[in-house]
Amino acid sequence: MELTVIGQTAGEAGASGCSSSGCGGSSDQLSHLPEHIRAKVHNHPCYSEEAHHHYARMHVAVAPACNIQCHYCNRKYDCANESRPGVVSELLTPDQAVKKVMAVAANIPQMTVLGIAGPGDPLANPERTFETFRQLTEKAPDIKLCVSTNGLSLPEQVEELCKHNIDHVTITINCVDPDVGAKIYPWIFWNNRRVKGRKAAEILIKQQQKGLKMLTERGILVKVNSVMIPGVNDAHLEEVSKVVKANGAFLHNVMPLIAEAEHGTFFGVMGQRGPTHTELQALQDKCAGDMNMMRHCRQCRADAVGMLGEDRGDEFTMDKVETMEIDYAAAMQRRAEYHATIEANREAQKSQSGQSFVSLASIKVNRKETRPVLMAVATSGGGVINQHFGHAKEFLVYEASMTDVRFIGHRKVDLYCSGGDSCGDAETTLQKIIRALEGCEAVLCSKIGYEPWEQLESAGIQPNGEHALEPIEEAVAAVYAEMVENGLADKTETPAQLQAGA
Ligand code: CLF
Ligand code: SF4
């Protein structure tokens, strides 16, 4: 789910003619969907890119066991299919999890979704997972329920999932070819015994596709996550995308492998690298020909709390939750009012974005030979440019062209300005940020200091603080229009060529 396509009013990405090459679910892309599907995704921060600017999710770590082994996983950490490795969650009982969800929902009005995504596989822990869902259906009826699984035991549990009113299921599918699968999964636990190698992958693949079909036949929206592992399944994932789409998947989320030796995973220890930003984007673009692509996944942890990209878990540890007095009925009312305000703002932003396209369209007459430009954006949510450059922990990256503005992905960075003792490291941190923003030609933020301004400029990235509080797509379109007018987006003048000529 992904971007707002300026100037387009119809067509879900990939599915029916989004001009940007695959997206997922911005409001415009969703506009052609049946009403009951739009209602399911419009405020789900993972199933709708636009929604992730406005709404939050949380996970509860109730599921410790797993029934397979992935080469990118170390059981000491959370399930790497849905969560980044390297952090250990506080394991909760279903009762604790329910208390925590109600506490978070009462305190974070943006929250719409509760997901169970680890630390092992939720469906390998069915009693704990379903008891949590059962209680929440009763006590927090306004929260959407979501689950992520490796799919091995999915077909046998589809009926149970349906009973709990779960509208969103994620299956991690890294392959549809057992020979590729054998390089990713050393074993699975199946019918009370351990099955290894190609045979294991064959069973897993069969179960995943069967489960996917069963869910989609029952009207449940299925997102497929795939971990991109260069040299192992990268060339194969286009085929995966085609197959899962044919079997009814709603959205495909190709995520980069995170493999560090210190995580102690097989891939980490063997020195298996993850993809670069460029490789990931290229593969997402290829898959987008057939499929709606998610590009805003943050590979969040199994106990993540808050907007995607932020982690407020520390505010809701169980010792704190136990002391909170919750009036859930009152909180539910406040949240409904808050969501109404968000929806009004989204509507307003949409009409503004439409106006920006008009200015691009008028430029088109004079400048035909233009190239697309990548821009980084600092935002703390709300779909607007509202973050100081020095406070950004990540930048969203957009591609502007004469036809649209599309969301490409995000780049995580260290804080440039954290104050105190770390200020001595600022130069190094800034250099790291500049490296992370490689390929971007502008960075849009609410404010920026003199020093980073100068260094960004010398690195060929133009800082811009003129669009504070403006909707992101509108601001990106306006900056692009300016670049086009000044000849900075001419096909013949890439930044590298300009620098060479200087
Ligand atoms: Fe959680 Fe996953 Fe549901 Fe979202 S996360 S179970 S679908 S509520 Fe979202 Fe996090 Fe990416 Fe998952 S950003 S890791 S895709
Ligand atoms: Fe680890 Fe998740 Fe794979 Fe299980 S499914 S081995 S918990 S990454």
Side-chain angles (χ1 to χ4, degrees), residues 79-224:
C79 173
N81 280 332
E82 183 76 3
S83 320
R84 76 188 142 81
V87 278
V88 183
S89 305
E90 180 184 33
L91 189 67
L92 304 181
T93 64
D95 289 348
Q96 287 175 318
V98 170
K99 267 191 195 162
K100 182 170 173 175
V101 173
M102 296 177 75
V104 171
N107 286 286
I108 301 184
Q110 296 97 329
M111 191 189 137
T112 51
V113 181
L114 174 273
I116 300 185
D121 187 77
L123 299 186
N125 302 260
E127 294 82 12
R128 299 172 67 98
T129 296
F130 289 122
E131 174 57 16
T132 308
F133 284 146
R134 191 194 61 72
Q135 287 194 38
L136 283 173
T137 307
E138 190 187 309
K139 295 180 184 165
D142 60 332
I143 300 292
K144 281 181 196 295
L145 303 177
C146 195
V147 67
S148 169
T149 176
N150 61 41
L152 181 63
S153 62
L154 178 58
E156 291 69 38
Q157 304 202 48
V158 164
E159 293 313 326
E160 190 67 24
L161 280 166
C162 290
K163 271 191 222 157
H164 292 276
N165 219 9
I166 292 161
D167 279 338
H168 302 82
V169 175
T170 296
I171 314 172
T172 298
I173 300 180
N174 296 319
C175 55
V176 289
D177 174 347
D179 289 322
V180 176
K183 295 180 196 157
I184 302 171
Y185 307 103
W187 56 260
I188 63 168
F189 201 68
W190 179 245
N191 291 339
N192 299 318
R193 63 187 181 95
R194 195 167 291 212
V195 181
K196 296 184 185 166
R198 194 180 187 282
K199 181 74 192 155
E202 215 171 68
I203 296 168
L204 179 63
I205 290 166
K206 208 168 151 197
Q207 288 289 98
Q208 288 172 335
Q209 297 303 325
K210 186 176 172 190
L212 166 60
K213 279 192 211 161
M214 289 173 73
L215 288 170
T216 54
E217 278 162 16
R218 286 159 180 77
I220 293 177
L221 292 182
V222 181
K223 169 167 72 64
V224 167

Side-chain angles (χ1 to χ4, degrees), residues 64-75 77-82 119-121 149-150 185:
C66 191
N67 46 7
I68 70 172
Q69 178 65 58
C70 306
H71 271 327
Y72 45 75
C73 177
N74 177 344
R75 291 291 164 69
Y77 303 126
D78 292 341
C79 173
N81 280 332
E82 183 76 3
D121 187 77
T149 176
N150 61 41
Y185 307 103

Side-chain angles (χ1 to χ4, degrees), residues 1 44-47 56-59 81-84 113-117 144-149 168-170 223 225 251 253 255 294 296-301 304 308-309:
M1 340 242 254
H44 192 307
C46 303
Y47 280 68
R57 55 75 187 99
M58 72 174 288
H59 291 164
N81 280 332
E82 183 76 3
S83 320
R84 76 188 142 81
V113 181
L114 174 273
I116 300 185
K144 281 181 196 295
L145 303 177
C146 195
V147 67
S148 169
T149 176
H168 302 82
V169 175
T170 296
K223 169 167 72 64
N225 282 0
L251 187 66
N253 173 23
M255 314 184 292
M294 175 178 189
H296 61 282
C297 176
R298 302 303 202 276
Q299 290 170 280
C300 25
R301 41 192 284 175
L308 300 192

